[in-house]
Amino acid sequence: MRQFKPEKLFKPRDFIKPELTDNCYLEIGAGRGLHAVQFTQANPDKQLIAIERTRVKFEDFAKRAKTDALNNLAPIHADAIPWVVHGLPPASLNGVFLLYPNPEPKNAAQRWLNMPFFEFLLSRLKPGAKIILATNIQDYFEEAKQQAEQLWKLPFEAFEVDQNSKRTHFEIKYLARGETCYQLEVTKPENYLTRFNDWLSEET
Ligand SMILES: C[S@@+](CC[C@H](N)C(=O)[O-])C[C@H]1O[C@@H](n2cnc3c(N)ncnc32)[C@H](O)[C@@H]1O
């Protein structure tokens, strides 16, 4: 796998340096923001930075977040990859949500655990923090488990999502169709080394 090169990524347009708390979580691909709003409502002591790239979905999300006026939720309209590079210092996250990412059937290199960026994402996690990935695609799930174990050498738990779960619009749709949804939770061990443990953008 080629190596991730954070120094090659420009700061996203209109980038604002985030104010991070000690209890910060990240959601990538937040869609219309259902999980982000539910999570921050249920966990007022936790901060969530929730990033969505698609404008139409983000506008819906921003409206929902404004109505609920949650001061622990930061909705961000950006591509998460450059945003994470410029916005987060090493070991700053208590957890990451990747809920129903695009399956990328024709482009395996774009699936999260196959991407060189995944190493950078791991460097932003605190030891003991988890990345939670949910998908309705069994092949995606199996491949992600294999990558967690063989490539990234990470401990993980894997299970089926409860049929009554309603965290995101996509989850609701898939479970209503009677599909099985899968969840993978990888944990960053203590003393886990990445090439980016000390890498810091000038912005952070
Ligand atoms: C299949 S949708 C799922 C949305 C939501 N999580 C749900 O379950 O309802 C995947 C979302 O991830 C977003 N996405 C994919 N890559 C992204 C990236 N690099 N940065 C931010 N958002 C991204 C897409 O725009 C899309 O809205």
Side-chain angles (χ1 to χ4, degrees):
M1 185 187 280
R2 71 196 153 80
Q3 196 179 323
F4 185 63
K5 298 217 163 55
E7 66 282 3
K8 298 247 183 247
L9 293 181
F10 291 113
K11 200 171 56 150
R13 203 175 337 144
D14 306 326
F15 177 80
I16 300 170
K17 190 179 159 194
E19 296 278 333
L20 301 179
T21 69
D22 274 350
N23 206 359
C24 183
Y25 289 72
L26 172 73
E27 181 169 354
I28 297 181
R32 299 178 194 278
L34 191 56
H35 171 264
V37 167
Q38 286 175 0
F39 178 84
T40 41
Q41 274 171 343
N43 299 284
D45 59 320
K46 295 178 179 159
Q47 175 190 28
L48 180 68
I49 295 171
I51 309 181
E52 174 51 51
R53 186 173 60 184
T54 305
R55 174 170 297 281
V56 180
K57 288 185 189 179
F58 178 77
E59 281 169 0
D60 239 33
F61 174 21
K63 257 190 240 155
R64 180 172 275 123
K66 203 168 172 188
T67 313
D68 288 285
L70 294 154
N71 57 16
N72 55 338
L73 172 60
I76 308 279
H77 180 217
D79 182 331
I81 295 177
W83 194 93
V84 165
V85 162
H86 291 283
L88 300 176
S92 54
L93 294 173
N94 285 20
V96 175
F97 297 99
L98 300 168
L99 302 177
Y100 304 94
N102 299 333
E104 307 290 354
K106 296 204 176 109
N107 196 350
Q110 295 281 312
R111 296 180 209 134
W112 290 110
L113 278 88
N114 297 346
M115 292 169 79
F117 168 72
F118 197 74
E119 182 180 358
F120 191 88
L121 186 60
L122 286 168
S123 76
R124 309 294 105 170
L125 287 181
K126 294 180 188 171
K130 287 183 179 178
I131 299 180
I132 295 181
L133 172 94
T135 179
N136 65 322
I137 314 278
Q138 193 172 8
D139 286 350
Y140 194 131
F141 177 60
E142 298 300 339
E143 180 186 77
K145 275 196 294 188
Q146 192 179 320
Q147 291 292 73
E149 190 169 9
Q150 292 176 13
L151 176 61
W152 304 111
K153 318 275 187 232
L154 293 166
F156 64 84
E157 287 177 69
F159 48 88
E160 289 182 9
V161 173
D162 189 288
Q163 286 292 320
N164 297 313
S165 183
K166 291 184 171 35
R167 289 174 298 183
T168 77
H169 287 97
F170 276 78
E171 183 169 82
I172 292 167
K173 181 171 78 177
Y174 298 139
L175 292 175
R177 292 202 302 229
E179 292 179 28
T180 302
C181 293
Y182 306 92
Q183 186 151 316
L184 177 69
E185 300 190 0
V186 300
T187 303
K188 180 177 177 177
E190 295 286 333
N191 304 318
Y192 186 83
L193 270 182
T194 75
R195 281 168 285 210
F196 308 108
N197 279 23
D198 299 319
W199 195 93
L200 199 56
S201 152
E202 283 166 15
E203 305 302 327
T204 45

